[in-house]
């Protein structure tokens, strides 16, 4: 259905970046990665998203790794994702309610 296909394309995250760049710039931390052998998410599409975010001036971190969509999830969380958010996000004094 042409109308559905057009709506789907218009709401594709890559195409939405210019319209939402100001909001994206307010994020405290934005990171994504992709396995170079990923069959679920195209590495080329995420490289294009990285480039679009860079052009829009949106601070972010983008990484690639050897493997597919589910390779080394625990290791990536421990060595990349959690350290990124620990460094990027400031929750203030955790002892205060």
């Amino acid at each position: 259905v042409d109308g559905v296909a057009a709506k789907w394309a218009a709401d594709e995250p890559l195409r939405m970046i210019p319209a939402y760049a100001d909001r994206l710039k307010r994020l405290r931390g934005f990171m994504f990665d992709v396995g170079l052998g990923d069959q679920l998410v195209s590495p080329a599409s995420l490289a294009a998203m990285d480039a679009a975010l860079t052009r829009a001036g949106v601070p972010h971190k983008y990484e690639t790794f050897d493997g597919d969509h589910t390779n080394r999830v625990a290791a990536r969380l421990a060595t990349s994702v959690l350290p990124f958010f620990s460094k990027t996000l400031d929750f203030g004094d955790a002892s205060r309610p």
Side-chain angles (χ1 to χ4, degrees), residues 7-95:
K7 176 73 172 150
W8 182 273
D11 289 338
E12 180 183 11
L14 181 60
R15 294 180 187 206
M16 295 172 71
I17 290 170
Y20 292 95
D22 288 340
R23 292 181 186 178
L24 290 167
K25 289 176 187 178
R26 289 188 258 161
L27 294 174
R28 304 270 318 259
F30 183 35
M31 177 185 179
F32 57 101
D33 66 7
V34 66
L36 295 173
D38 200 320
Q39 298 92 7
L40 183 62
V41 178
S42 162
S45 70
L46 288 188
M49 185 174 294
D50 171 50
L53 289 165
T54 299
R55 279 191 306 275
V58 176
H60 66 285
K61 182 175 180 180
Y62 167 65
E63 296 180 345
T64 61
F65 60 91
D66 289 327
D68 63 24
H69 195 73
T70 59
N71 283 131
R72 301 184 319 273
V73 172
R76 290 189 346 258
L77 286 171
T79 62
S80 189
V81 177
L82 292 176
F84 170 80
F85 285 111
S86 177
K87 180 178 151 185
T88 305
L89 301 179
D90 178 9
F91 296 101
D93 187 349
S95 66

